[in-house]
Amino acid sequence: MSNMDTPSPQPDRNRNRLPTLFEVLSRQTLPPVDLFSFYIYMRDQQRSVDYLDFWLDVSQHMSLCRHYVRELRRSVLVATPDLEKTGSKRSSYILDQMGEVNDPSGPSANLNSDERIKDQNLSAYLRQDNGQTNDSPQSSLDSNQSRIRQSGDRHRGNGERLPRPSFMSRNSPTRTDSNSPAHTVARADIRASAEKILFTYLLDGAEREVTLPQGIVQDITALIEEEGRDDPEVFDTAKDYTFQAMERDAFPGFLRSKALGNLVPPSAFLRLVLGLLILPFTIGVYSLSSQQYSIDPVLALAGLSEYTFMNWSRIREPYIRKLMNKRALMVLLFTVLIGVGLIVLFIFVPGHRL
C-alpha cells in the first residue's frame, strides 16, 4: 500500500472522560461509542443518517483532494524540470510550500492558524489547477457512475440502508473508488465527487436531500455549476453547519444511549412487557429496572452492549466500561432492595384482617 493512504487514527485508551463528536468522527474511539455505533444510532433511532452520510462524503471528498495534491507534490519534488518546461513554476512553488495537508474529520472552526493556511493553500491550488488537466471525460463519467452504484448498493431490498462499507473494517486505510490507476487520484475524480455530493444531498428533490439553510445551498450550487469549483472550501460552510447540528441534536442522545446504557429501544420495551407480565418479583423488578435505566446489569457487567436488536458487541472503550460497571451495580442494588421489600411485604403482612 502506498504511503498516499492515510493511516487510521489510534484510539486513545487513556481517555478518562466521555468522547467528543470530533473524536468519534475521527475514529479515535472504541465500541460502543465508535463511528460504526454512531452510524447505527443515526440510522435506527435518530432517523437522520443522511446528515452523517453527507458529512462522511464531504470528508471523503477532502481526502480525494489531499491525495491528489500529495501526488502532485511528490512529482514536483522528483520532476521539477518537467514542470518548469510546462510553465508551472508557480504551481510548483505552491505545492512545495504546502507541506502535509490536514485530516478532514473536524470542523474548520477547530483548525489552528497553520492548519487553516494549509487548507486555504490546498483549495487555492485546486482552483488554479481546475481545467488545466486533460483527464478523459469518460473517466469522470465512469467514476461518477461507480459512486452512484455504490450508493445504491447500501440499500437492502426492504429499503433499509446498510452501513457504509468503510465501517466493515474499522482499521482499513482510506480508499478511493476512482477508476484512476492504482494509488492515483485523477483530477476528474475530484470534480465527479463534488457533483455527486451536490446532486445527492443538496439540490431540491435530491435522492437523500438534507435540510440546510437555503443560502448555503445556493452558494454551493453557484460555486460548482457556475464557477466550476470543486475544492474543499466549497463545502466548508455546509460541513460546519452539519457538524454543529449533529453535535447539538443527535450526539447527546447517542452518549446517553451508549455510554449510560446497553439496550436499544426494542429490547427495553421487551423488558417492560416481561416485567409487567412475569409474576416472580425478582425477575419482574429486574426487567422493569432494565427498561427504566436502559441497561441490563448482568450483560453490562459481562462487557456487552447492544447495537441492534439482539446483536451484541464488546465494550472496549475503557472509560465507558468503568461507567457501565458502576451503573450496572447501582441498578442491581436497586433491584435487590425492591425485590426483598416486596417479598417481605407479601410474607409478613397478613392477607386478611386479624
Side-chain angles (χ1 to χ4, degrees), residues 267-279:
S267 289
F269 180 76
L270 177 61
R271 283 163 173 77
L272 173 62
V273 174
L274 293 177
L276 295 176
L277 297 181
I278 293 180
L279 290 179

Side-chain angles (χ1 to χ4, degrees), residues 99-332:
E100 292 299 321
V101 289
N102 308 307
D103 188 291
S105 298
S108 58
N110 287 1
L111 300 179
N112 59 40
S113 58
D114 291 339
E115 292 172 333
R116 190 173 290 109
I117 290 174
K118 288 182 179 180
D119 276 358
Q120 291 171 352
N121 288 341
L122 171 64
S123 294
Y125 176 77
L126 289 174
R127 287 196 297 271
Q128 174 184 316
D129 181 65
N130 191 20
Q132 295 181 6
T133 56
N134 295 320
D135 294 320
S136 169
Q138 184 63 33
S139 173
S140 175
L141 178 61
D142 292 342
S143 178
N144 198 30
Q145 289 174 342
S146 172
R147 289 183 175 86
I148 294 173
R149 287 195 301 270
Q150 218 177 29
S151 176
D153 289 342
R154 291 206 297 268
H155 296 263
R156 291 194 180 96
N158 59 3
E160 183 181 359
R161 187 172 299 119
L162 290 167
R164 298 168 66 93
S166 59
F167 296 153
M168 300 307 175
S169 176
R170 295 188 178 92
N171 294 323
S172 61
T174 304
R175 298 184 304 173
T176 67
D177 53 356
S178 71
N179 289 345
S180 310
H183 313 314
T184 302
V185 176
R187 190 64 179 83
D189 294 327
I190 297 177
R191 180 66 187 178
S193 173
E195 291 178 345
K196 177 242 182 182
I197 294 173
L198 176 65
F199 294 129
T200 303
Y201 299 102
L202 300 178
L203 295 183
D204 290 338
E207 174 190 358
R208 302 173 59 192
E209 182 179 359
V210 296
T211 303
L212 297 175
Q214 193 62 29
I216 294 178
V217 176
Q218 291 175 350
D219 289 344
I220 294 175
T221 303
L223 289 174
I224 294 177
E225 294 190 335
E226 298 177 12
E227 299 184 22
R229 287 179 55 181
D230 50 23
D231 55 277
E233 284 186 356
V234 170
F235 299 106
D236 270 354
T237 305
K239 186 182 179 185
D240 291 348
Y241 181 91
T242 304
F243 181 91
Q244 293 167 6
M246 291 191 296
E247 188 175 45
R248 179 185 64 248
D249 301 332
F251 194 64
F254 170 72
L255 289 181
R256 284 193 300 270
S257 173
K258 298 301 180 182
L260 301 180
N262 67 339
L263 298 177
V264 296
S267 289
F269 180 76
L270 177 61
R271 283 163 173 77
L272 173 62
V273 174
L274 293 177
L276 295 176
L277 297 181
I278 293 180
L279 290 179
F281 296 125
T282 53
I283 298 178
V285 172
Y286 181 88
S287 298
L288 291 175
S289 300
S290 298
Q291 186 275 334
Q292 177 66 27
Y293 294 99
S294 295
I295 183 173
D296 188 303
V298 173
L299 294 175
L301 291 173
L304 296 176
S305 180
E306 190 177 34
Y307 59 93
T308 59
F309 183 63
M310 300 304 293
N311 290 309
W312 303 85
S313 63
R314 305 293 300 182
I315 301 174
R316 297 173 53 203
E317 183 77 19
Y319 180 74
I320 301 300
R321 182 67 186 270
K322 293 190 295 184
L323 199 63
M324 203 80 75
N325 287 343
K326 293 179 181 179
R327 192 169 173 83
L329 291 174
M330 181 198 72
V331 174
L332 273 180

